[in-house]
């Protein structure tokens, strides 16, 4: 059974997350369907994409499928992790992707939404950056996604507290583009998609790629990168990382020891 509903209407494509049983957790299977659909949209020269969940969801996406995270001794967010592959597919897709959000967004799904080009949410929407809640060492390019979307101070607050930020505040700090009432969300999002689709696709695709390259152009020395990777290994080899994953699976509060 498909985990993503794929639709097209003229030059506009729609991807609907459709695994409500697991709150649209970004499992390998669901991510594979999203990536395949984006490849098909590229082939068909779709000019604007709307990424959404089924209408009426309380949870837009619960983030990385925790059941697919290693329980230690291996980088949980390595290059070929589904979440990493999805973020890269979104960032390199030639057409703009509009994230149309209702419900709550968690963990890696927040990064997925922020990797999209435009974010439109309802006033009830919240975004929670959760690595600290699970004891996960988020990866370097993922932190860059957050840093491109909000000021360092806001990113630190979201990362260190793991507390949800509401859509109104997220818009106020420039993290998302628009907050519209649920009743207007679909019309507003598709009006923007149609406006984009009526513009020059080549010019847009090149500007999107230019902005991706320029936004990611941060000087990190090999030594600096190796230091960060080494620090991340300390985390994913730690008691606390294994404890965070186990606590989630056992549906209990984690007991972190700082080691
Ligand atoms: C697998 C799930 C999940 C899930 N994976 O419903 O950013 S990082 O570093 O943290 C990154 C690694 C990451 O993205 O990690 C995941 C971060 N996500 C979260 O912390 C959100 C975890 N989920 C929740 O807090 C709750 O499920 C919410 C608040 C989203 C919804 O709560 P609610 O009470 O409505 P349940 O918790 O009962 O979830 C329904 C089913 O979905 C599973 C969950 O285990 C349950 O499965 P069972 O019915 O088999 O028990 N589920 C939820 N989130 N991320 N599975």
């Amino acid at each position: 059974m498909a985990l993503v509903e794929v639709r097209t209407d003229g030059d506009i494509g729609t991807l609907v997350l459709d695994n409500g049983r697991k709150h649209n957790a970004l499992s390998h299977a669901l991510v594979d369907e999203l990536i395949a659909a984006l490849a098909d949209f590229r082939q068909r020269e779709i000019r604007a994409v709307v990424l959404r969940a089924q209408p009426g969801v309380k949870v837009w996406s619960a983030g990385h499928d925790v059941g697919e995270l290693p329980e230690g001794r291996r980088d949980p967010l390595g290059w070929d992790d589904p979440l990493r592959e999805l973020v890269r597919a979104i960032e390199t897709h030639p057409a703009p992707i509009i994230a149309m959000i209702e419900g709550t967004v968690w963990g890696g799904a927040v990064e997925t939404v922020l990797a999209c080009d435009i974010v439109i949410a309802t006033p009830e929407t919240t975004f929670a950056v959760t690595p600290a809640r699970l004891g996960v060492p988020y990866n370097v390019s993922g932190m860059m996604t957050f840093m491109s979307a909000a000021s360092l101070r806001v990113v630190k607050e979201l990362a260190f507290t793991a507390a949800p930020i509401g859509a109104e505040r997220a818009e106020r700090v420039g993290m998302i583009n628009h907050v519209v009432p649920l009743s207007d969300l679909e019309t507003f999002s598709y009006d923007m998609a149609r406006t984009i689709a009526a513009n020059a696709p080549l010019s847009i695709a090149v500007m999107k790629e230019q902005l991706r390259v320029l936004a990611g152009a941060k000087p990190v020395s090999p030594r600096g990168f190796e230091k960060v990777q080494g620090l991340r290994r300390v985390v994913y080899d730690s008691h606390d990382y294994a404890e965070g994953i186990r606590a989630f699976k056992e549906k209990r509060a984690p007991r972190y020891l700082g080691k």
Side-chain angles (χ1 to χ4, degrees), residues 21-23 25 59 62-67 69 77 104 106-109 130-131 133-134 136 138 248 251:
R21 194 185 60 74
K22 285 187 81 172
H23 290 310
V59 179
H64 199 298
D65 186 328
V66 177
L69 286 171
L77 294 173
T104 56
W106 302 82
T130 54
R133 178 176 174 197
L134 278 172
V136 168
Y138 218 75
F248 178 85
K251 299 186 185 298

Side-chain angles (χ1 to χ4, degrees), residues 5 7 17 33 49 64 74 99 136 202 209 222 226 253 255:
E5 185 189 331
R7 299 196 294 258
L17 303 178
E33 288 187 30
V49 179
H64 199 298
R74 188 164 63 83
V136 168
L202 279 182
E209 181 59 5
E226 285 167 359
R255 287 179 296 279

